[in-house]
Amino acid sequence: MGGAAVPDGQRGDDEDDRGGLRAALGGLTTRGRSFLAAGVAAAACAYVLGQADLLRVGLLLATLPLICVLVLHRTRYRVATSRLLTPQRVEAGSEARVQLRMENVSKLPTGLLMLQDHVPYMLGPRPRFVLDRVEAGGRREVSYRVRSDLRGRFPLGPLQLRLNDPFGMCELTRSFSAYDTLTVVPRTEALPPVKLSGEASGHGDGRQRSLALAGDDDIIPRAYRHGDDLRRVHWRSTARYGELMVRREEQPQRARCTVLLDTRGIAYQGVGPDAAFEWAVSGAASSLVHMLERGYAVRLVTDTGSSVPGEGSEGFAASAQDSAESAGLMMDTLAVVDHSEGGSLSRASDMLRSGDEGLLIAFLGDLDEEQAALAARMRGRAGAAVAFVLDSGSWLTGGTASGAVEDRIQQLRDAGWTALAVPPGARLADLWQQAAGVRAESAAETYGGWS
């Protein structure tokens, strides 16, 4: 953030100047108002009693705060400020550092200044800093830290500059217009490097590879590029096209993973950092980060049918170079995701049945029989599907999952899902390990491994 303030309130016409003077009068502190009231009262008593000395005292008391207002109003200097937020995206429960820099760009030294930055109450108390005299061209730097246990996007600013006279009679406030935004993303949990059973050998880290050539008749050459190995030159194609052609190398194909987050408001009970919905959001974030680190092309889908990042082939990231940007987009989405008003998973079901999803990881809330059937059909063309089902009622009471939840989980398993109930306060890493074990024991068809 950058800006400049003119504490004297330089005006283009007399009307603006009078308005600034009225604002300065409104900045009288309690001390200034007390002096003014005492001076008026003393002058009135002196007039009634005929005491000239008391009149002089009254005039002094009443004039002093007015002189301070006029001097503070007419003081002319300029101040530039900037804000540096590091980092701009943090996990819930982590701290970010805000550094403020103030520079006196005028030719006059300043008086006593107070900097105050507007911070939402979720991030902590409002920071205030008192700066003594700043010489002409001088610079001061201060910093503070912010922390939130709640995810979201929080504005920082605008920065306010308060000016005081030496006697503390008057206080004026000038505000800058710029602000920064702190994004607090869900907490993520490190997941163990487990794999689904049936992983084909040679596909390390879940990647599939396809050869661009299978013999001389199937060669797909390309033009020679500087740095290519001359041993890969394909002379037959070179003669045909009249320019140097080389054989294509083995082309990697990124394995796909879709993370489905159920955000239906009717599927969750309770609020707060320890609620079932927050666990589901945090679980989705952990899964996204883990699969991206393993080299998967990942996308986030919600029950509303929205997909992030939404670019590339069918919503997946277009290339490995897009992973960092895609991760940022998905985490920003999870930072502000809230309950949806819908009551059905039909939109998500329609999206997931439209193409090859690769590995499907779902975080589901309360399911009735109809929604469980919809979720079962999402198995579709996914190579492997894992569901973490939350019984929000048990999260409120701290009990075990109800029989109805066990029936829904069995319904998903019958459709080919690896489905697990999520007890209150469970660690996703433990469930992740458990899901791999269940898959190794019961699944006959796998995608090639998730890790």
Side-chain angles (χ1 to χ4, degrees):
M1 183 195 79
V6 186
D8 63 341
Q10 295 180 14
R11 308 301 178 188
D13 51 48
D14 293 340
E15 182 179 354
D16 288 343
D17 191 71
R18 289 193 298 269
L21 186 57
R22 286 195 296 269
L25 287 172
L28 282 172
T29 62
T30 302
R31 178 183 298 178
R33 295 176 187 273
S34 299
F35 267 65
L36 183 60
V40 172
C45 293
Y47 177 78
V48 173
L49 300 176
Q51 297 292 327
D53 293 338
L54 183 60
L55 178 61
R56 296 188 186 95
V57 172
L59 292 177
L60 176 61
L61 293 176
T63 304
L64 182 59
L66 297 178
I67 293 176
C68 291
V69 167
L70 183 61
V71 171
L72 196 62
H73 173 66
R74 302 302 297 179
T75 300
R76 299 180 180 275
Y77 55 85
R78 297 180 64 86
V79 172
T81 65
S82 63
R83 181 193 295 107
L84 178 62
L85 174 61
T86 310
Q88 294 185 338
R89 182 188 291 118
V90 297
E91 285 192 8
S94 300
E95 289 186 343
R97 183 171 181 266
V98 183
Q99 183 175 355
L100 302 176
R101 174 181 294 179
M102 192 213 72
E103 183 177 1
N104 182 12
V105 297
S106 68
K107 297 181 180 180
L108 297 175
T110 70
L112 188 67
L113 301 177
M114 186 175 76
L115 291 178
Q116 175 177 281
D117 211 5
H118 281 268
V119 173
Y121 72 92
M122 291 82 73
L123 300 183
R126 181 171 297 180
R128 294 181 174 90
F129 304 93
V130 177
L131 304 179
D132 292 332
R133 179 179 181 274
V134 180
E135 65 279 6
R139 179 183 301 174
R140 299 290 187 272
E141 292 185 359
V142 294
S143 64
Y144 64 94
R145 296 184 179 274
V146 290
R147 178 182 180 274
S148 174
D149 291 326
L150 301 176
R151 56 186 177 83
R153 291 172 62 88
F154 304 101
L156 300 179
L159 183 67
Q160 284 188 338
L161 179 66
R162 291 189 178 181
L163 314 173
N164 296 85
D165 65 276
F167 300 101
M169 299 290 180
C170 183
E171 180 179 271
L172 298 183
T173 301
R174 296 290 183 263
S175 296
F176 297 86
S177 59
Y179 64 92
D180 290 318
T181 301
L182 174 67
T183 302
V184 181
V185 301
R187 291 185 177 92
T188 57
E189 185 177 347
L191 303 180
V194 297
K195 298 180 180 180
L196 293 178
S197 63
E199 180 180 7
S201 60
H203 287 180
D205 291 343
R207 295 179 178 85
Q208 291 180 319
R209 302 180 183 277
S210 62
L211 293 176
L213 55 93
D216 286 348
D217 295 336
D218 298 323
I219 289 176
I220 305 176
R222 63 169 175 80
Y224 174 83
R225 299 171 185 168
H226 179 71
D228 285 338
D229 191 343
L230 292 178
R231 290 175 295 182
R232 292 175 45 230
V233 173
H234 190 254
W235 298 107
R236 183 181 301 176
S237 298
T238 299
R240 178 184 303 173
Y241 293 104
E243 60 176 322
L244 203 59
M245 306 293 289
V246 296
R247 295 181 177 89
R248 291 182 183 271
E249 293 180 333
E250 195 178 71
Q251 300 297 319
Q253 290 183 347
R254 301 183 70 200
R256 291 180 171 185
C257 174
T258 298
V259 177
L260 170 64
L261 176 61
D262 180 10
T263 65
R264 295 172 300 136
I266 63 173
Y268 298 95
Q269 303 178 43
V271 294
D274 297 326
F277 179 67
E278 293 301 323
W279 190 97
V281 174
S282 179
S286 300
S287 302
L288 292 170
V289 171
H290 181 75
M291 301 311 293
L292 283 170
E293 290 176 348
R294 304 305 298 174
Y296 279 70
V298 183
R299 70 170 175 175
L300 171 66
V301 176
T302 67
D303 59 288
T304 61
S306 60
S307 176
V308 182
E311 298 178 357
S313 176
E314 298 176 356
F316 292 90
S319 65
Q321 287 74 17
D322 297 332
S323 292
E325 181 179 356
S326 299
L329 288 174
M330 289 184 285
M331 295 301 286
D332 287 346
T333 299
L334 291 176
V336 296
V337 69
D338 202 354
H339 293 297
S340 65
E341 297 180 355
S344 174
L345 297 171
S346 57
R347 293 184 179 178
S349 179
D350 293 340
M351 170 174 285
L352 296 180
R353 287 188 297 170
S354 63
D356 184 5
E357 310 306 328
L359 173 63
L360 176 58
I361 305 173
F363 294 86
L364 305 173
D366 297 333
L367 299 173
D368 56 25
E369 186 174 356
E370 179 183 356
Q371 300 309 313
L374 273 174
R377 291 197 293 270
M378 294 180 193
R379 176 68 173 79
R381 296 174 58 190
V386 181
F388 300 96
V389 183
L390 293 94
D391 178 13
S392 59
S394 67
W395 278 71
L396 284 178
T397 61
T400 58
S402 63
V405 174
E406 296 296 338
D407 293 340
R408 304 295 177 254
I409 291 177
Q410 187 59 48
Q411 188 175 352
L412 294 176
R413 290 175 177 172
D414 293 341
W417 285 81
T418 300
L420 297 175
V422 180
R427 294 180 64 249
L428 179 59
D430 297 335
L431 296 175
W432 195 266
Q433 187 80 44
Q434 182 181 350
V438 171
R439 185 69 184 175
E441 295 175 359
S442 62
E445 179 184 353
T446 66
Y447 173 67
W450 56 298
S451 57

